[in-house]
Amino acid sequence: MNSAATILKYNVNGSSSWVPYYIPEQVENSGILGELVPQILSMAEIKVEKHNFPPKRTNQALEKGLLDFDFVSPSWFPKGDMGELFIQSEPILNIQENIITLEQNKSQWADITKIEGESIGTVRGYLYHDDDAFTRVDFGSEKQLIKALHKQRVQAAISGDLPALYWAKKLKMPIALASVHSRGVLVMRLRKEHSEMMPKINLAIAQLKTDGTIQALVDKYTQAEQYQQ
């Protein structure tokens, strides 16, 4: 395959609710990944084609080859296995998921095993490594999870720590970070037929780490919002 002529397809809407990683309504301040992805692919000299599948269709589109890559954490998959169709890049940045709840309920969810058999707020279309252990109650976004907690629709939910804190501040609806659900790293998940492109992608990631670009983007979207509580 001529990698120079290959155009990789990806979904700009797949993580559209994943603030502050993607902020789709912002053109210039489009989020950590919103700004970082074009830089990685430009440095790797890879052309891309943007699509707008609904979030719940992204995984199906990747498996069928309608899309070529997305950004995920191995920690979201049972035993970290993304399947035989994909390879993964070097880590781009660290991420963490927490059980989130209201402050007065925090102690009840201090042990991660407390989610077993319970109804837990989740984001529609997102992957969870242990979602056979609890009953998913799907909402459209992390923003909706925060509202659901305050409306008592669920007692606990699973969210990335930064998205949860971002929306809690934005909505003026305080939440607490209880037990850690998963710790991991964010990687590019790329279909194997494009594996010859991965060395260039990894070189670009390494350079953007070394020159401070990735950390600067994380700081831009989290430090000022981190959230003077």
Side-chain angles (χ1 to χ4, degrees):
M1 185 182 295
N2 181 2
S3 61
T6 300
I7 299 175
L8 297 185
K9 303 178 293 294
Y10 83 108
N11 193 27
V12 295
N13 193 41
S15 299
S16 63
S17 63
W18 199 20
V19 175
Y21 299 96
Y22 284 103
I23 308 177
E25 65 271 15
Q26 301 288 337
V27 176
E28 293 184 3
N29 299 311
S30 54
I32 297 168
L33 288 176
E35 293 194 45
L36 187 59
V37 172
Q39 294 187 58
I40 292 172
L41 297 172
S42 176
M43 289 182 69
E45 300 178 326
I46 294 172
K47 296 178 181 178
V48 295
E49 182 180 290
K50 296 179 181 179
H51 290 260
N52 279 289
F53 290 104
K56 62 184 178 182
R57 285 189 56 202
T58 301
N59 288 317
Q60 295 174 353
L62 279 159
E63 290 178 4
K64 293 177 180 177
L66 300 174
L67 296 174
D68 295 310
F69 70 88
D70 68 348
F71 293 85
V72 297
S73 174
S75 66
W76 298 343
F77 297 81
K79 300 181 180 178
D81 183 8
M82 296 180 184
E84 59 184 16
L85 297 177
F86 303 100
I87 59 171
Q88 67 185 61
S89 72
E90 292 296 313
I92 299 169
L93 47 85
N94 295 321
I95 61 170
Q96 179 172 301
E97 282 182 331
N98 285 76
I99 304 303
I100 61 170
T101 187
L102 302 183
E103 183 64 40
Q104 63 266 29
N105 299 327
K106 183 178 180 180
S107 62
Q108 299 173 32
W109 302 95
D111 180 349
I112 189 61
T113 63
K114 297 296 184 184
I115 68 174
E116 293 179 5
E118 299 293 336
S119 296
I120 303 295
T122 48
V123 177
R124 187 175 299 111
Y126 280 18
L127 300 165
Y128 302 89
H129 66 89
D130 57 349
D131 66 3
D132 58 342
F134 56 87
T135 300
R136 290 182 66 139
V137 183
D138 277 352
F139 295 90
S141 66
E142 286 89 347
K143 180 180 181 180
Q144 296 303 318
L145 288 182
I146 303 298
K147 291 182 176 180
L149 287 172
H150 278 266
K151 291 178 180 178
Q152 305 291 317
R153 294 182 65 186
V154 289
Q155 294 297 309
I158 299 172
S159 174
D161 54 352
L162 297 182
L165 292 170
Y166 178 95
W167 283 116
K169 180 179 186 294
K170 202 84 170 172
L171 296 169
K172 297 182 179 178
M173 294 181 171
I175 55 97
L177 301 178
S179 53
V180 174
H181 179 252
S182 69
R183 285 191 180 95
V185 293
L186 204 65
V187 302
M188 176 189 281
R189 173 173 61 160
L190 179 68
R191 286 185 60 91
K192 270 187 178 175
E193 58 261 37
H194 303 301
S195 58
E196 77 280 356
M197 296 183 175
M198 192 57 85
K200 280 190 174 183
I201 292 169
N202 283 332
L203 280 174
I205 292 168
Q207 185 170 334
L208 291 166
K209 279 183 177 178
T210 300
D211 68 16
T213 298
I214 292 178
Q215 187 58 51
L217 281 172
V218 172
D219 292 346
K220 173 182 177 179
Y221 288 97
T222 63
Q223 273 199 350
E225 296 285 338
Q226 182 108 1
Y227 302 111
Q228 295 143 18
Q229 299 185 42

